[in-house]
Amino acid sequence: MAGAFLNLAAAVSISSADGAVLGACLALAIATLLFIFYIQPDASDLAPHRSQLDQLMERRDAIYDNLRDLRFEFRSGKYSEGDFNTMKTSLENEAALVLTEIEQVTESQVRRARGVRPVETERGQR
């Protein structure tokens, strides 16, 4: 019986290199579990930060893409000339509104960025 125990101990023996790899795997598994279950991301990290200007420019690009697609589909014969002109006018009007909004947003940002400095008097008072 003692011989069987020695054979089992010899079969289970782990070399130092294998022990290091096993320890590294165990540490990695523990770190992964801690990260998954205990570290909570900040809500602001999950939400995209898009300004009003970014949203307007994205909308402008989408309208331009729609106009380009509309022209292609008209040339390929998908739309009649009357339908094409109606849809084109609608998209152009929408683009004009978006461009006006972009201009208003950029003007307000420029005005806020520059600011107004107080004028100094002869005595150095403001």
Side-chain angles (χ1 to χ4, degrees):
M1 183 130 146
F5 181 70
L6 289 176
N7 287 337
L8 181 62
V12 177
S13 69
I14 299 175
S15 69
S16 63
D18 290 339
V21 170
L22 183 61
C25 289
L26 185 60
L28 182 61
I30 290 171
T32 302
L33 290 173
L34 287 173
F35 181 76
I36 290 172
F37 294 110
Y38 289 108
I39 297 179
Q40 300 295 324
D42 191 16
S44 65
D45 292 339
L46 301 175
H49 302 288
R50 292 182 14 189
S51 67
Q52 182 183 8
L53 182 60
D54 292 336
Q55 293 172 6
L56 288 170
M57 294 182 87
E58 185 177 312
R59 182 67 188 138
R60 178 203 62 189
D61 294 342
I63 293 169
Y64 287 161
D65 288 343
N66 289 341
L67 275 168
R68 186 181 63 244
D69 293 343
L70 179 66
R71 286 189 185 104
F72 174 78
E73 290 171 351
F74 172 69
R75 289 183 192 136
S76 66
K78 187 172 181 180
Y79 295 112
S80 68
E81 190 169 343
D83 290 340
F84 168 73
N85 287 330
T86 302
M87 288 188 277
K88 182 180 94 165
T89 302
S90 173
L91 287 171
E92 287 173 343
N93 289 338
E94 189 176 352
L97 291 172
V98 170
L99 290 174
T100 302
E101 289 182 47
I102 289 174
E103 186 175 316
Q104 289 172 352
V105 168
T106 54
E107 283 179 5
S108 69
Q109 288 177 351
V110 168
R111 273 189 247 129
R112 272 188 281 152
R114 289 184 185 167
V116 178
R117 292 186 303 187
V119 179
E120 291 188 18
T121 61
E122 292 179 18
R123 296 180 187 168
Q125 298 174 352
R126 294 180 184 187

